């Protein structure tokens, strides 16, 4: 790790100011991605602006049938939340399946979304549920937030404050874990929402994506058989030691089928 | 002798209080006055010429105490290899120089180029980035099959075709003849996947030089401190052995990877004098991945010839063994002596020939890793046997029964003499434990769920208790393989044992104490086990090859016998009886046939307060030591049965049942033995399903250099094991023990892979059988 300056502001405005002051400053959420990359000397921020002292970034609120979750809410808090379990049990289950206990106790919703690891779980839920990412500047619909590998619509210094998840009629998330890292090799979030069925896939491509053919099939009939025959193209999917693009493409269909079955 | 019933008791581990409360002392916990910290600059390339190593900027960086390169250490010798293998043409193996810091070339990613020493670790790390190395990148030899092809990049100029040796073992002509006459030949071709050890404690060392008496102390995470000292002083640094103390304190797992003398240990010791300060280095996990000696990595073509009744007639094995970029300490012996000699397995195969080509590549050195050669041998034998049974449509248990060795001692055609065993009994026991009778029903149940169930067997044998020094010497070993032990009885009758064995997780402090307390008839609390310090222990060959209790324990028993014999002399004097009439039982020296007796502690006190004592005939004090060199290897053996369920849609393999019955001879602490079996099975299952070190075949970059890509087994990857034991005591050591540390890792990969190939109905699936690999095997079959 290289040396850096540490700040712990108590308000969103102070945090934004601290981030604005230096182009190499970075927000610190739970540190589960950022600190690890700093320890490996892969990332060298001049300043760390720790968001954990800002009360308004935490907490879970029931919100018109759905939930709004503060950006600094830890994965373990989402997993254990009665509100989330009631409104969107699939989201609580997803949070419970992120990493290990230590990661869930530290890692945050905002950090996970800002990081947008191509194999992260939350992006699948945000896109699959058609959620809205709220920042200190604006409200960003899920369909406009994710921009590919580690890229998002966030501008420099922009801070995620919370995410608003509308409640679906039903939903489920099924992931196939990488045997080494246990991140999603392929994770599929399916939801039957007010605006129709949505299918969001993480892990398989450079970033989370929807599968319109599956959504169409589900709109006709929300059942596992509807997606079982829908194949996604391997072109453009990730390929690495653990899974070729072909294997990932195959798993998307299998996981989608299982997710629809789990959604009931 | 004693009768405290401690042998065979699951005594809770004495050392666990220390470990579980964080009170252990590992090398990195040792902080010395004036401590400095070191970071190694390592090659990012698999193969490159060193054009220049510029250290000026690093030397001027804040806090830097010293920066040294291969040029600075030019006078220091290279690292030695401890075993000479002679090629079949009679020439000795090629032993290219293994410099402690790279000189003209770097030969693997992670090869150390310079050491940077500073006041703090962070300063050393910052300064290391300022060392400017000018590399001329060369093409790399990576895969063994490519490396031996003509025109492949040469790792060492002195090893043409990258061959270190081409070694033959067994009667090739007899084997050829038997194959010609065979009814059936089963042939398999496969890799034994390369593994990265991953001890929980990374390697670490802390060296300090004392100007006062021109001596050195090296604290190091190591499995055999005396061997480390001997190799380092006599072969590399040329220091007087008695001026170097090596301490291996608490060590957090070794699995073989901490047997070896590593470059870092030598560089640190050397540098501690240059900077006249203690120098400490602790590997980062990424360094461990790149530089701890790796394990396995064979490519093998194996054939078994059978008659029409399934009797084995002959076996022929050709193996390319990856040795990595340099010869690590025991690298040459692992794929030869510890491999080909085990190819008879549990069977009477009359003729066996193995040819092993040791190959240099631009990869991390490969050496002993839990099982060392014997897992590879078992994999060859047991995959062949199971496949042969399928070829001949025979029951896999039955084909083994027809070929089991049944009379002992048994001399195999590959040079070992098994002293004892009962393979059929062990097999029967595991068939019962595994409920093989209920398998068909379980297979139906799986099919109903859309899952493919398969069953696989593996009957392994290993040669442990390394080793009779004279036999090892005849086979090329450059060291003895005995063990030493000392029993210090204190005046109050408490006992400290000094053993040359080293415990890095095995529980010696309990098992050895049980043996001592049982023999002396004293409470186990009165016995302490000391190990891991050349300043305290008279000598030691250390712990590997499942040798500690069989060899180190026996040395202690021999020293205990001397203590008891001397005690009898003292007791005879005190009780005015003839020495021949004194019996030692339950902690008392007793005049036979009378109720006259003296407690062990009274005799101890008399030895140290010799007022009424035969001083004219006997020295005072009660302190004895012994060296023990075994007359044969020990031969633990066992039978494993694995049942898997495969999801054909995803390729995921789940081990549903794993049953293991081992014959370790007598067992001192069943709980510890079971723990060793569980750990070994986890590693073997890890090899079969998860672990696979991968390099980029072109560039030689390590692709599995973190836990993101290298899959270690986790608890939920493993089933609840069914384990049992059978017992044929070892015939040639007084404890009748054989060793249990490696068995699980040796026997299990074949059982798992036999089960997977059975489930899929295919001939072979490469290890590790990851979901993608299994899915592909299913696709290929369709
Ligand atoms: C061992 C391990 C296993 C893991 N397994 C999984 C897994 O299975 N699935 C999964 O999804 N994730 C996994 N993770 C990642 C984990 O979920 C992290 O929590 C997540 O990636 C980042 O969240 P964080 O709060 O730790 O963010 P940090 O690491 O603190 O920050 C990450 C990035 O987000 C920025 N950032 C943080 N908060 C905000 C904010 N409010 N607004 C704007 N930018 C912000 C930071 O500046 C930084 O660039 C794992 C991590 C580890 C260490």
């Amino acid at each position: 790790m290289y040396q850096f300056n540490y700040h712990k502001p108590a308000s969103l405005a102070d945090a934004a100011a601290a981030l604005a002051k230096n182009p190499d400053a970075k927000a610190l959420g739970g540190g589960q991605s950022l600190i690890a990359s700093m320890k490996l000397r892969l990332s060298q921020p001049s300043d760390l602006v720790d968001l954990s002292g800002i009360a308004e970034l935490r907490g879970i609120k029931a919100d018109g049938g759905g939930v709004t979750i503060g950006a600094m809410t830890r994965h373990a808090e989402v997993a254990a939340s009665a509100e989330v379990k009631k409104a969107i049990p699939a989201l609580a289950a997803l949070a419970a399946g992120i990493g290990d206990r230590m990661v869930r106790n530290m890692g945050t919703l905002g950090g996970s979304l800002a990081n947008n690891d191509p194999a992260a779980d939350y992006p699948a839920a945000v896109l699959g549920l058609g959620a809205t990412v709220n920042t200190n500047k604006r409200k960003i619909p899920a369909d406009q937030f994710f921009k590919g590998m580690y890229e998002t619509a966030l501008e420099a210094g922009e801070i995620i404050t919370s995410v608003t998840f509308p409640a679906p009629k039903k939903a489920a998330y099924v992931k196939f874990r990488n045997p080494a890292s246990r991140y999603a090799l392929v994770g599929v979030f399916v939801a039957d929402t007010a605006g129709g069925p949505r299918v969001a896939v993480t892990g398989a491509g450079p970033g989370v994506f929807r599968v319109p053919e599956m959504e169409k099939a589900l709109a006709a009939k929300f059942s596992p058989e509807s997606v079982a025959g829908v194949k996604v193209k391997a072109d453009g999917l990730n390929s690495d030691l653990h899974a070729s693009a072909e294997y990932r493409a195959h798993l998307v269909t299998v996981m989608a089928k299982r997710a629809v079955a789990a959604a009931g | 002798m004693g009768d405290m019933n401690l042998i065979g008791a699951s005594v809770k581990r004495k050392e666990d209080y220390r470990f579980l409360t964080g009170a252990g002392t590992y090398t990195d916990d040792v902080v010395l006055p004036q401590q400095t910290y070191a970071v190694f600059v390592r090659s990012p390339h698999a193969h490159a010429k060193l054009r220049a190593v510029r250290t000026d900027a690093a030397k001027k960086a804040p806090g830097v105490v010293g920066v040294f390169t291969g040029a600075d250490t030019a006078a220091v010798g290279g690292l030695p290899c401890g075993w000479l293998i002679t090629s079949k043409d009679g020439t000795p193996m090629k032993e290219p120089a293994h410099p402690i810091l790279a000189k003209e070339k770097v030969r693997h990613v992670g090869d150390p180029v310079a050491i940077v020493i500073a006041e703090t670790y962070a300063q050393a790390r910052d300064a290391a980035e300022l060392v400017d190395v000018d590399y001329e990148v060369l093409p790399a030899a990576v895969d063994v099959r490519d490396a031996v092809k003509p025109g492949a990049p040469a790792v060492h100029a002195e090893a043409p075709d990258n061959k270190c040796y081409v070694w033959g073992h067994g009667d090739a002509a007899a084997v050829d003849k038997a194959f010609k006459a065979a009814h059936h030949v089963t042939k398999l071709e496969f890799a034994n996947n390369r593994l990265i050890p991953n001890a929980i404690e990374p390697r670490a060392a802390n060296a300090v030089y004392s100007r006062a008496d021109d001596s050195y102390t090296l604290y190091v995470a190591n499995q055999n401190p005396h061997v480390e000292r001997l190799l380092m002083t006599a072969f590399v640094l040329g220091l007087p052995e008695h001026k170097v103390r090596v301490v291996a304190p608490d060590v957090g797992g070794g699995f073989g990877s901490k047997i070896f003398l590593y470059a870092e240990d030598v560089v640190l010791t050397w540098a501690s004098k240059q900077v006249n300060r203690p120098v400490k280095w602790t590997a980062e996990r990424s360094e461990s991945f790149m530089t701890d000696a790796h394990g396995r990595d064979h490519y093998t073509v194996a054939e078994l010839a059978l008659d029409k009744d399934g009797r084995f007639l002959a076996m022929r094995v050709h193996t390319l063994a990856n040795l990595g970029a340099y010869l690590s300490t025991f690298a040459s012996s692992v794929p030869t002596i510890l491999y080909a000699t085990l190819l008879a397995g549990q069977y009477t195969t009359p003729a066996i020939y193995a040819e092993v080509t040791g190959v240099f590549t631009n990869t991390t050195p490969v050496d002993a890793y839990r099982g060392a050669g014997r897992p590879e041998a078992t994999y060859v034998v047991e995959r062949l046997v199971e496949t042969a049974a399928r070829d001949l449509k025979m029951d896999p248990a039955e084909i083994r029964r027809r070929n089991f060795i049944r009379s002992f001692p048994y001399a195999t055609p590959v040079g070992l003499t098994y002293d004892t065993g009962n393979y059929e009994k062990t097999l029967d026991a595991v068939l019962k434990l595994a409920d093989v009778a209920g398998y068909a029903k379980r297979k139906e149940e799986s099919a109903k769920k859309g899952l493919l169930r398969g069953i696989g067997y593996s009957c392994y044998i290993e040669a442990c208790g390394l080793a009779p020094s004279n036999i090892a010497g005849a086979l090329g070993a450059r060291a003895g393989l005995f063990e030493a032990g000392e029993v210090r009885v204190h005046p109050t009758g408490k006992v400290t044992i000094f053993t040359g064995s080293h415990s890095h997780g095995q529980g010696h402090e309990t098992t050895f104490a049980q043996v001592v307390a049982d023999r002396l008839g004293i409470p186990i609390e009165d016995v302490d086990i000391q190990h891991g310090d050349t300043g305290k222990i008279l000598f030691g060959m250390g712990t590997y090859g499942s040798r500690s209790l069989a060899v180190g324990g026996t040395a202690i028993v021999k020293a205990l016998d001397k203590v008891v014999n001397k005690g009898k002399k003292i007791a005879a004097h005190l009780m005015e009886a003839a020495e021949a009439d004194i019996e030692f039982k339950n902690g008392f020296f007793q005049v036979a046939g009378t109720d006259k007796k003296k407690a062990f502690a009274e005799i101890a006190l008399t030895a140290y307060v010799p007022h009424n004592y035969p001083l004219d005939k006997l020295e005072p004090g009660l302190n004895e030591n012994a060296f023990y060199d075994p007359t044969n290897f020990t031969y633990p053996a066992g039978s494993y049965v694995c049942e898997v369920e495969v999801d054909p849609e995803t390729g995921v393999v789940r081990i549903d049942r794993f049953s293991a019955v081992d014959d370790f001879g007598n067992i001192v602490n069943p709980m510890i033995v079971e723990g060793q079996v569980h750990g070994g099975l986890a590693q073997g299952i890890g090899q079969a399903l998860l672990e696979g070190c991968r390099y980029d075949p072109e560039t030689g970059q390590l692709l599995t250099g973190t836990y993101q890509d290298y899959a270690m087994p986790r608890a939920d990857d493993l089933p609840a094991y069914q384990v049992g034991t059978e017992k044929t005591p070892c015939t040639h050591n007084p404890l009748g023990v054989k060793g249990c540390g490696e068995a699980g890792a040796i026997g299990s990969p074949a059982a798992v892979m036999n089960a997977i190939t059975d489930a899929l109905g295919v001939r072979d699936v490469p290890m590790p059988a990851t979901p993608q690999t299994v899915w592909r095997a299913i696709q290929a079959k369709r």
Side-chain angles (χ1 to χ4, degrees):
Chain A
M1 199 178 278
Y2 297 101
Q3 287 204 10
F4 57 88
N5 302 310
Y6 177 78
H7 311 267
K8 193 172 178 184
S11 76
L12 197 53
D14 288 352
L19 285 169
K21 219 185 276 170
N22 197 318
D24 292 329
K26 263 187 175 299
L28 177 66
Q32 296 303 290
S33 297
L34 181 54
I35 301 282
S37 89
M38 288 169 66
K39 278 163 75 177
L40 289 166
R41 297 194 159 204
L42 296 172
S43 146
Q44 190 177 2
S46 60
D47 296 72
L48 278 191
V49 181
D50 185 346
L51 304 180
S52 68
I54 306 170
E56 63 194 280
L57 295 182
R58 297 193 79 145
I60 298 167
K61 282 197 308 272
D63 186 347
V67 284
T68 292
I69 303 177
M72 281 302 289
T73 311
R74 316 280 174 181
H75 308 333
E77 292 169 327
V78 175
S81 158
E83 287 86 359
V84 180
K85 280 187 192 163
K86 183 156 167 266
I88 319 172
L91 181 59
L94 174 146
I98 297 175
D100 52 49
R101 202 173 279 271
M102 288 177 287
V103 169
R104 292 194 292 274
N105 283 333
M106 289 301 290
T108 68
L109 173 60
S112 178
L113 295 180
N115 198 47
N116 194 20
D117 186 304
D121 296 309
Y122 268 134
V126 169
L127 189 63
L129 290 165
T132 303
V133 180
N134 307 308
T135 77
N136 58 337
K137 295 188 177 150
R138 54 191 168 138
K139 293 183 187 307
I140 311 173
D143 284 310
Q144 288 158 34
F145 183 80
F146 302 103
K147 302 278 177 199
M149 203 177 277
Y150 297 106
E151 297 286 335
T152 67
L154 291 175
E155 287 158 13
E158 188 171 2
I159 299 170
I160 301 177
T161 53
S162 65
V163 180
T164 302
F165 294 92
K169 285 177 244 168
K170 47 189 169 182
Y173 178 62
V174 174
K175 74 170 149 179
F176 190 89
R177 291 172 189 271
N178 176 319
S181 72
R182 298 243 172 142
Y183 270 85
L185 211 50
V186 169
V188 179
F189 198 103
V190 297
D192 196 3
T193 73
R198 291 171 74 99
V199 177
V201 178
T202 189
V208 65
F209 63 88
R210 288 172 65 183
V211 188
E213 301 85 341
M214 287 186 178
E215 293 178 355
K216 216 182 293 159
L218 289 173
K221 186 173 181 230
F222 198 89
S223 83
E225 298 76 54
S226 302
V227 291
V230 182
K231 306 244 178 296
V232 299
K233 282 214 183 66
D235 292 352
L237 295 191
N238 300 338
S239 188
D240 55 31
L241 277 185
H242 307 282
S244 65
E246 292 71 30
Y247 183 49
R248 278 188 163 90
H250 166 75
L251 287 176
V252 170
T253 302
V254 177
M255 293 302 118
K257 190 176 76 178
R258 292 182 184 184
V260 174
Chain B
M1 207 178 283
D3 190 20
M4 303 291 280
N5 291 323
L6 278 167
I7 302 292
S10 287
V11 176
K12 290 235 172 87
R13 301 198 338 158
K14 285 166 70 112
E15 48 271 75
D16 283 351
Y17 177 77
R18 177 165 98 248
F19 294 141
L20 295 176
T21 59
T25 304
Y26 296 87
T27 298
D28 192 57
D29 295 323
V30 176
V31 181
L32 301 166
Q34 301 270 301
Q35 185 71 59
T36 67
Y37 298 85
V39 164
F40 284 89
V41 176
R42 298 184 181 279
S43 170
H45 305 293
H47 197 193
K49 258 191 205 144
L50 280 179
R51 283 215 203 92
V53 185
R54 298 181 198 97
T55 59
D56 305 2
K59 279 180 177 151
K60 285 186 218 128
V64 169
V65 175
V67 181
F68 304 102
T69 67
D72 299 309
T73 53
V76 177
L79 300 178
C81 180
W83 206 299
L84 173 68
I85 296 297
T86 303
S87 281
K88 57 182 189 167
D89 66 5
T91 57
M93 68 183 188
K94 307 289 190 304
E95 290 186 79
H98 184 176
I100 57 170
L101 290 172
K103 282 175 185 151
E104 282 115 36
K105 276 211 306 189
V106 286
R107 293 186 173 83
H108 68 92
V109 171
D111 209 358
V113 172
I115 181 175
V116 177
I117 304 167
E119 298 289 344
T120 70
Y121 174 71
Q123 287 172 330
R125 187 96 206 252
D126 286 341
E129 289 186 358
L130 301 175
V131 174
D132 175 20
V133 188
D134 189 356
Y135 295 102
E136 178 186 329
V137 178
L138 302 170
V142 181
D143 185 89
V144 271
R145 278 170 291 168
D146 298 334
V148 292
K149 286 184 188 144
V155 182
H156 297 279
E158 52 269 69
D161 296 331
N162 292 314
K163 289 178 183 169
C164 176
Y165 51 72
V166 180
W167 179 81
H169 191 62
D171 187 340
V175 167
D176 289 346
K177 204 168 142 213
F179 268 88
K180 282 202 189 101
H183 165 76
H184 177 77
V185 172
T186 293
K187 182 173 178 183
L188 286 171
E189 187 170 337
F190 46 59
N192 198 288
N193 43 327
R194 179 188 271 245
L195 304 177
I196 303 181
N198 284 297
I200 200 160
E201 180 208 14
R203 283 194 295 123
N206 192 352
V208 55
Y209 171 71
S210 164
R211 210 153 36 89
D213 59 358
D214 195 25
S215 73
Y216 298 80
T217 302
L218 174 68
Y219 298 86
V220 58
N222 181 276
Q223 302 177 212
N224 44 355
H226 284 87
V227 177
E228 170 102 353
R229 176 174 73 167
L230 177 62
L231 292 173
M232 188 164 71
T233 55
F235 296 100
V236 190
L237 286 171
L239 295 172
E241 194 175 355
H242 66 298
K243 290 287 193 188
V244 177
R245 177 178 164 214
V246 175
V247 185
D250 284 329
V251 173
F255 310 109
S257 71
K258 291 172 184 164
I259 296 172
F260 322 119
L261 176 64
Y262 284 96
E264 293 87 354
D265 310 352
V266 180
V267 176
L268 252 61
T269 305
W270 175 86
S272 71
K273 183 173 182 180
Q274 311 302 311
V275 300
N276 199 20
R277 302 261 304 266
V279 188
K280 177 153 87 174
W281 164 76
T282 302
E284 296 201 342
R285 185 56 68 181
S286 330
E287 280 183 292
S288 303
F289 273 101
M290 285 189 293
T291 68
D292 290 5
H294 293 175
R296 321 279 191 256
D297 204 347
H298 287 191
Y299 191 83
T300 293
V301 180
E303 299 162 279
L304 180 66
L306 303 100
D307 73 10
K308 63 177 185 352
D309 300 320
R311 282 199 183 76
F312 307 157
L313 303 174
M315 185 183 292
R316 184 158 51 201
V317 176
H318 281 82
T319 293
L320 294 174
N322 198 338
L323 302 173
Y326 303 100
L327 283 175
S328 172
T329 313
F330 289 108
S332 53
S333 64
V334 174
T336 49
I337 306 301
L338 293 175
Y339 169 67
T341 55
L342 274 305
L343 288 171
Q346 301 186 352
Y347 313 110
T348 55
T349 317
I352 299 174
Y353 179 69
E355 193 168 298
V356 180
T357 305
V359 183
F360 290 113
T361 60
N362 293 113
T363 64
T364 299
V366 179
D367 206 324
Y369 170 65
R370 200 172 194 168
R374 293 151 293 170
E376 297 91 313
T378 299
Y379 195 72
V380 168
V381 175
E382 291 303 294
R383 288 283 297 114
L384 273 178
V385 166
E386 193 104 345
T387 309
R390 289 174 194 166
D391 286 352
L392 298 182
K393 312 234 172 332
M394 280 179 72
D395 175 58
E398 176 56 25
I399 200 169
R400 289 177 167 89
R401 273 184 223 284
R402 283 193 195 173
N403 290 283
F404 276 152
I405 294 164
R406 287 162 198 279
S407 73
F408 296 91
Y410 179 85
T412 72
V414 273
L416 297 176
T417 300
Y418 301 167
D419 62 333
T420 181
N422 189 338
Y423 307 137
E424 180 138 39
K425 202 162 162 223
T426 313
L427 177 63
D428 286 340
V430 82
L431 295 181
K432 217 163 138 205
L433 189 67
D435 183 28
V436 169
Y439 172 71
K441 182 132 189 296
R442 291 192 293 276
K443 190 169 170 79
E444 271 174 37
E445 294 298 317
S446 299
K448 279 187 206 150
K449 293 182 281 175
L451 301 173
L452 308 170
R453 183 174 284 264
I455 188 165
Y457 299 69
S458 171
C459 297
Y460 75 89
I461 191 156
E462 46 175 336
C464 295
L466 311 184
S469 294
N470 51 356
I471 296 180
L475 292 171
R478 288 165 167 163
L481 285 160
F482 54 84
E483 196 48 271
E486 178 178 352
V487 178
R488 184 170 304 165
V489 182
H490 302 284
T492 53
K494 313 289 184 201
V495 175
T496 304
I497 301 292
F498 299 89
T499 173
S501 297
H502 187 281
S503 182
H504 31 280
Q506 293 88 344
H508 296 167
E509 291 172 40
T510 306
T511 305
F512 286 13
Q514 280 177 258
V515 170
V516 173
D518 182 85
R519 293 240 155 190
L520 295 181
I522 59 176
I524 193 167
E525 294 74 28
D526 288 359
V527 182
D528 236 2
I529 309 293
Q530 295 282 327
H531 65 89
D533 183 347
T534 63
K536 283 192 207 163
I537 315 294
L538 71 165
F539 201 78
M541 297 308 300
T543 285
Y544 41 82
S546 307
R547 70 192 300 272
S548 293
L549 189 57
V551 189
T554 299
I556 294 169
V557 167
K558 299 249 167 209
L560 288 170
D561 289 345
K562 293 184 190 175
V563 165
V564 169
N565 284 339
K566 185 167 178 182
K568 282 183 180 171
K569 290 193 171 74
I570 300 169
H573 176 87
L574 287 180
M575 295 187 284
E576 296 174 340
E579 190 190 324
D581 291 339
I582 306 290
E583 290 171 344
F584 182 62
K585 251 193 355 221
N586 301 336
F588 287 92
F589 293 92
Q590 187 156 7
V591 183
T594 76
D595 57 3
K596 280 168 74 179
K597 58 183 182 181
K598 293 276 176 198
F600 178 73
E602 287 178 79
I603 297 301
L605 190 63
T606 306
Y608 287 94
V609 187
H611 295 164
N612 177 13
Y613 196 90
L615 284 168
D616 52 337
K617 289 186 295 223
L618 205 60
E619 294 170 7
L622 201 50
N623 193 99
E624 298 287 351
N625 65 49
F627 285 68
Y628 171 68
D629 203 298
T631 54
N632 192 354
F633 297 89
T634 63
Y635 299 97
S639 287
Y640 293 174
V641 176
C642 175
E643 256 177 73
V644 298
E645 264 186 345
V646 180
D647 177 351
E649 234 176 7
T650 58
V652 168
V653 175
R654 190 180 66 84
I655 297 183
D656 185 48
R657 305 162 72 91
F658 198 104
S659 310
V661 175
D662 295 286
D663 177 356
F664 298 135
N666 291 335
I667 288 177
V668 174
N669 186 319
M671 176 196 71
I672 288 180
V673 166
E674 190 173 333
Q676 288 290 314
V677 172
H678 282 210
L681 291 175
Q683 274 173 304
I685 291 170
Q687 167 162 32
L689 294 184
L690 295 154
E691 297 184 53
C693 170
R694 296 272 299 275
Y695 285 94
D696 182 289
E698 297 295 316
T699 64
Q701 288 297 325
L702 180 60
L703 301 177
T704 51
T706 75
Y707 292 123
Q708 296 283 305
D709 289 308
Y710 190 87
M712 290 294 285
R714 293 155 161 103
D716 65 354
D717 291 315
L718 304 167
Y721 309 116
Q722 317 283 320
V723 300
T725 53
E726 288 295 324
K727 184 166 85 179
T728 59
C730 173
T731 59
H732 54 82
N733 66 49
L735 293 166
V737 298
K738 298 180 179 178
C740 68
E742 297 163 293
I746 290 170
S748 55
V752 176
M753 298 312 293
N754 283 338
I756 293 173
T757 48
D758 179 49
L760 268 49
V762 300
R763 208 168 171 78
D764 190 38
V765 172
M767 294 194 289
T770 62
Q772 166 166 266
T773 300
V774 172
W775 179 74
R776 282 182 175 157
I778 295 168
Q779 299 306 106
K781 203 189 157 204
R782 276 185 186 156

